[in-house]
Amino acid sequence: MWFPRLTGCLMLPVMAGDFDDRELMSRYSNGDAGAFETLYARHKGPLYRYYLRQGCNEAIAAELFQDVWMKLIRARRNYRPTARFTTYMYQIAHNCLIDHYRRAGRSVDAFADGAIEVEDMPGTDCDGPERRAESLQQGERIRAALAALPDEQREAFVLREEGGLSLADIAAATGVAAETAKSRLRYAVSKLRRMLADE
Amino acid sequence: MTEDHDIDKQDKELEQYLDGDTPPSRAYAELGEEMPPPELDARILAAAEREVKVTGINAQRAPPFKAFAWAAIVVLSFSLVLNIIFDESVRDPIAELDGILKEERPSDAFDVILEEAQSPAELDNRQVKENLMQAQQAETKLRRDQPAIAADQDHKEIVVTTRKRESSEDVRRMREMRDAPQERRAAARTAPVALPATIRQSPRDAFAREQIVQVLEDYSVRLSPQSMSAKAMESIDDSVAELSADSTVADDPETEMREILEAFRARRDDEAFELLEAFRETWPDHPVATTLTERGL
């Protein structure tokens, strides 16, 4: 832990791209704006798409996206590299999304731990969207398939695809138990396979 | 049964998915890679840079300054503790008393002797050593500063020599006290101690002696035959003849004065002072006695 702090203090001419996310954030905490640029360049696309894949339009995605980065900037002094930066960032992103859902009047009960109902299982409620996706091209079909997924299952899948998060990281980012995250991802994958196979 | 079968199948699909390269992943990859608009990038990066400029400069420079500040605190604290420790040793009562004694040590031989006379039995070896050290230091200083203090050299040499003599006298006295029987020691502690003969050699008494001798000699010169008329000489001779004829007649002041003067000249100061005291008691109105009184001798 002393190395990134030391290099951050002395501003040694080390390429910021050589550091992992936690080191970059630590350097930014010590005043290295260049480290933040590298960090931003690494994660801006996945985070932006995380919101787009949740069904948000571009304006809302941009707003939430900006909120996340502003919170990261403000929290830089208190940042402690105890977990993966990606997990930390998507935890903030998840909270921003929940806040957005609340503001929009959407129910967020499904995001609660263990709130997976029988009707969310493949082959029940999702038949309508699946059928609508049949006539679309591959891209549009997966987009439609994602939209057909329950929010929490879709989020688990997007976190895996965009952030490369493990099951434990997904659980940490969404604030649920590891088994719950596993169930959500399992159902999401199964539904998507079935919808894509029904093509 | 069907549900269990489904769950097993889903677990297998999940494992395959986590291993990578499954239809959902391939399909998701075809969605493309949308990016945030450039103006949003610029806004966020500007905010990040602004945040660093506002608070980051201090944060960036804080660690080295903190290190220096801590180092300074440690050094100052250490020196403060050392200072306190040494102060405590100075504030020790015994050490303080020693300091006072050193400061108030008599500056000339007369006072040293008086102190010794007041409490001879109280002196210890340490004080003797200190006297010796002080005398040596004074002598060293005298030698070093000799050209600058040539005018005062004689007096200081007297003081140094006197102190050395007194120090050796102290050692001798301490040895005697140590070796003496218990009764003698007790007697030495209680008996009044006479002033040493060296008191007469102090600068003050030497000066008084010289003054007294001068007064006596002046008076003698006035009585000398060269300064007297023949008539006066005759009367003196008559007087002398009368004195020699009648031995029962008391000595006249001039004769006694001559004896005092002779005693002074012969360096029999003790006798001379005793005779002078008797002379002044016997003839308090004699010109010599009044002159000495006027001069405060």
Side-chain angles (χ1 to χ4, degrees):
Chain A
M1 287 308 140
W2 59 270
F3 178 66
R5 284 196 173 276
L6 183 65
T7 52
C9 298
L10 301 177
M11 299 296 290
L12 297 177
V14 180
M15 294 295 289
D18 296 340
F19 295 110
D20 67 18
D21 295 340
R22 282 183 292 190
E23 289 169 351
L24 288 173
M25 190 62 187
S26 295
R27 284 173 67 89
Y28 178 60
S29 297
N30 291 321
D32 184 1
F36 181 84
E37 285 186 33
T38 305
L39 199 63
Y40 180 77
R42 277 186 195 173
H43 296 285
K44 65 175 184 177
L47 183 63
Y48 184 66
R49 290 191 292 274
Y50 164 80
Y51 284 120
L52 287 178
R53 305 292 183 256
Q54 302 296 327
C56 301
N57 61 36
E58 289 184 359
I60 292 175
E63 181 188 336
L64 297 174
F65 175 83
Q66 185 173 334
D67 284 350
V68 173
W69 286 108
M70 289 301 172
K71 285 184 178 178
L72 282 170
I73 290 169
R74 283 194 291 269
R76 71 186 183 89
R77 304 293 296 273
N78 301 320
Y79 175 73
R80 297 288 179 271
T82 54
R84 284 184 66 191
F85 172 78
T86 316
T87 308
Y88 176 64
M89 184 184 73
Y90 281 110
Q91 199 171 9
I92 296 172
H94 170 79
N95 292 334
C96 288
L97 184 64
I98 297 296
D99 290 343
H100 166 69
Y101 283 160
R102 287 198 176 114
R103 284 197 302 269
R106 280 181 66 173
S107 171
V108 292
D109 292 343
F111 285 94
D113 195 359
I116 294 185
E117 302 298 335
V118 177
E119 56 266 26
D120 291 335
M121 294 181 68
T124 53
D125 258 0
C126 298
D127 288 344
E130 286 178 30
R131 288 200 184 95
R132 285 199 300 274
E134 285 176 357
S135 60
L136 300 173
Q137 295 298 317
Q138 183 75 359
E140 291 303 315
R141 286 172 56 220
I142 184 68
R143 201 183 302 275
L146 280 174
L149 290 176
D151 292 338
E152 72 279 4
Q153 292 177 18
R154 183 175 54 246
E155 185 184 29
F157 181 78
V158 172
L159 285 173
R160 174 69 188 176
E161 288 296 325
E162 292 293 347
L165 269 60
S166 66
L167 286 174
D169 290 335
I170 293 170
T174 55
V176 296
E179 276 302 315
T180 306
K182 184 180 178 182
S183 297
R184 288 175 177 176
L185 189 59
R186 185 174 62 216
Y187 289 139
V189 169
S190 181
K191 283 181 185 177
L192 288 173
R193 284 178 72 100
R194 288 181 59 177
M195 286 187 281
L196 294 172
D198 289 343
E199 172 181 357
Chain B
M1 197 65 178
T2 309
E3 278 186 17
D4 288 343
H5 178 72
D6 286 345
I7 289 174
D8 289 341
K9 187 183 172 186
Q10 288 167 4
D11 280 340
K12 192 177 286 183
E13 289 172 351
L14 179 63
E15 285 176 12
Q16 288 173 352
Y17 170 73
L18 292 174
D19 289 340
D21 197 27
T22 55
S25 294
R26 285 195 297 271
Y28 187 87
E30 290 177 10
L31 283 176
E33 293 191 346
E34 300 95 329
M35 299 296 277
E39 60 269 18
L40 187 58
D41 292 345
R43 201 183 310 158
I44 291 169
L45 291 174
E49 198 163 350
R50 191 167 54 247
E51 179 75 10
V52 169
K53 282 181 181 173
V54 170
T55 59
I57 293 172
N58 291 335
Q60 182 180 339
R61 293 180 181 174
F65 279 119
K66 275 184 187 172
F68 283 123
W70 278 111
I73 288 169
V74 168
V75 169
L76 288 175
S77 305
F78 188 66
S79 59
L80 187 65
V81 168
L82 286 179
N83 204 7
I84 289 170
I85 289 170
F86 283 118
D87 271 358
E88 287 297 323
S89 68
V90 169
R91 284 175 189 170
D92 181 61
I94 296 172
E96 238 175 47
L97 189 59
D98 281 347
I100 291 167
L101 286 173
K102 281 176 188 170
E103 283 175 6
E104 294 181 353
R105 190 168 297 284
S107 57
D108 58 21
F110 183 75
D111 292 337
V112 170
I113 294 159
L114 278 182
E115 185 186 354
E116 178 197 346
Q118 285 165 4
S119 56
E122 301 294 326
L123 291 172
D124 55 357
N125 285 329
R126 190 177 60 176
Q127 194 164 354
V128 172
K129 286 176 185 173
E130 284 176 359
N131 284 343
L132 278 169
M133 283 178 63
Q134 199 171 354
Q136 286 169 354
Q137 285 171 358
E139 190 176 14
T140 308
K141 191 178 177 185
L142 271 174
R143 285 179 182 167
R144 192 175 60 239
D145 302 337
Q146 199 164 9
I149 57 170
D152 202 28
Q153 188 178 9
D154 292 343
H155 175 69
K156 286 189 176 177
E157 278 182 357
I158 289 168
V159 171
V160 170
T161 310
T162 308
R163 283 185 179 169
K164 280 185 176 176
R165 189 166 60 245
E166 293 309 319
S167 298
S168 60
E169 187 72 15
D170 291 339
V171 174
R172 186 187 60 76
R173 197 182 297 273
M174 290 302 298
R175 282 178 182 161
E176 281 180 4
M177 286 292 294
R178 187 192 59 197
D179 300 336
Q182 196 68 26
E183 312 84 60
R184 280 179 57 197
R185 258 188 247 178
R189 287 194 189 98
T190 54
V193 179
L195 287 175
T198 51
I199 191 169
R200 304 276 155 72
Q201 298 171 3
S202 66
R204 195 176 69 181
D205 282 345
F207 178 75
R209 179 185 179 281
E210 292 298 321
Q211 292 286 312
I212 291 166
V213 170
Q214 187 66 43
V215 170
L216 293 172
E217 283 180 344
D218 288 348
Y219 192 77
S220 299
V221 167
R222 272 184 282 169
L223 293 178
S224 64
Q226 289 80 6
S227 63
M228 296 178 70
S229 63
K231 192 178 180 180
M233 283 296 294
E234 284 175 4
S235 69
I236 289 171
D237 290 341
D238 293 343
S239 301
V240 170
E242 283 176 10
L243 286 171
S244 55
D246 187 4
S247 61
T248 58
V249 175
D251 291 343
D252 66 314
E254 278 66 28
T255 305
E256 200 165 321
M257 193 187 64
R258 274 196 291 275
E259 285 178 7
I260 295 168
L261 189 56
E262 284 172 6
F264 272 122
R265 284 172 179 163
R267 294 287 173 185
R268 289 182 279 111
D269 287 357
D270 292 342
E271 183 188 348
F273 276 111
E274 286 173 6
L275 288 173
L276 180 63
E277 197 171 346
F279 173 85
R280 292 175 73 172
E281 284 178 1
T282 308
W283 292 285
D285 298 328
H286 190 274
V288 171
T290 54
T291 304
L292 291 175
T293 305
E294 284 170 6
R295 294 188 182 185
L297 296 169

